[in-house]
Amino acid sequence: FLFFFSSMFFVFATIGMIPRLRLEGKLQRILEEGTPFDILPRLVPYGLCLLAALFVGMAILRIINDMVFSGSVLLFLVTQVLYIPALGVLSLLFGWSAANPGVAASRMILFIPGGFILGGSTGPIPLQSAWVQVVSHVFPLVWEYQFVRDIMMRGAGFLDMTRDFGGFLLYFAAVTILFCWRFYREKKKLAAGRHGLDQVTQEG
């Protein structure tokens, strides 16, 4: 629940970012003059808050509830430095076309609860069909739970998790490529619309 609700509130805070920029008139300027990396740094403050919340929550559970933490804290930190930006980029993608931040927030249900259900919290993963286990990895929270179990409960080291790290890096790269594609697609549409308007003005 710590990881599920923390991720959910992070998404609520970030999924409306693009619609908010659009309503404020800032998105058009970024599309005209900037790159996708003019938007992505806006995720950093929210990401730091999520990272702090996770570590404070785990510290409380470790001290008060005697939670097991068998692995390396540094390795766990590395996984979060990958997971949080991936979740943020996916959040921006899902909220991009929303008319306003309120509409965007409702889309959280499309990719966070699915990760909670298929991530092993509601039942043993090996009991699921093989195709379900594979498809479930489209949800970022599934990767998070996998890292949590391996590092915190099983005490896995980096060499034990190279396959999972490699898979998640490919996932992160795919999400980032999709975001960049969406950005440049919108940039091209904006440029085409402006060019068409200029032609109409000249003909008039």
Side-chain angles (χ1 to χ4, degrees):
F1 280 97
L2 170 65
F3 294 96
F4 170 60
F5 282 108
S6 297
S7 297
M8 186 173 68
F9 286 119
F10 172 77
V11 170
F12 277 138
T14 57
I15 198 169
M17 187 179 296
I18 300 295
R20 186 164 58 249
L21 289 172
R22 185 184 297 115
L23 291 174
E24 293 173 353
K26 296 178 181 178
L27 181 61
Q28 181 174 341
R29 187 172 68 253
I30 294 174
L31 289 172
E32 289 175 346
E33 304 172 0
T35 70
F37 300 99
D38 291 312
I39 296 177
L40 295 180
R42 295 172 181 267
L43 294 171
V44 173
Y46 302 100
L48 292 175
C49 289
L50 175 56
L51 185 64
L54 292 177
F55 273 85
V56 170
M58 288 191 299
I60 293 172
L61 290 173
R62 181 70 182 89
I63 295 170
I64 297 178
N65 203 42
D66 198 27
M67 181 186 71
V68 174
F69 198 110
S70 304
S72 166
V73 176
L74 181 60
L75 181 58
F76 182 78
L77 175 63
V78 171
T79 62
Q80 300 315 297
V81 170
L82 294 174
Y83 164 71
I84 293 173
L87 180 62
V89 174
L90 196 63
S91 179
L92 294 179
L93 270 174
F94 271 86
W96 190 294
S97 61
N100 57 67
V103 173
S106 65
R107 298 181 181 181
M108 178 278 303
I109 199 171
L110 298 175
F111 63 104
I112 291 295
F116 178 74
I117 295 169
L118 298 175
S121 298
T122 57
I125 295 177
L127 296 182
Q128 305 291 337
S129 301
W131 70 269
V132 174
Q133 296 181 42
V134 173
V135 173
S136 68
H137 284 83
V138 301
F139 299 104
L141 204 54
V142 169
W143 293 96
E144 175 76 335
Y145 283 137
Q146 194 167 322
F147 291 141
V148 168
R149 284 192 298 269
D150 287 345
I151 297 172
M152 292 175 58
M153 300 177 183
R154 299 169 186 163
F158 178 75
L159 293 179
D160 301 313
M161 300 175 59
T162 51
R163 181 178 178 182
D164 293 334
F165 266 109
F168 186 73
L169 287 174
L170 290 175
Y171 175 84
F172 191 4
V175 170
T176 305
I177 290 170
L178 282 174
F179 177 77
C180 292
W181 171 80
R182 185 62 189 265
F183 180 92
Y184 285 110
R185 179 189 173 195
E186 295 295 324
K187 187 183 184 77
K188 185 177 180 180
K189 286 171 61 178
L190 181 63
R194 186 174 292 278
H195 180 67
L197 182 62
D198 290 341
Q199 283 187 331
V200 171
T201 303
Q202 290 175 2
E203 291 174 359

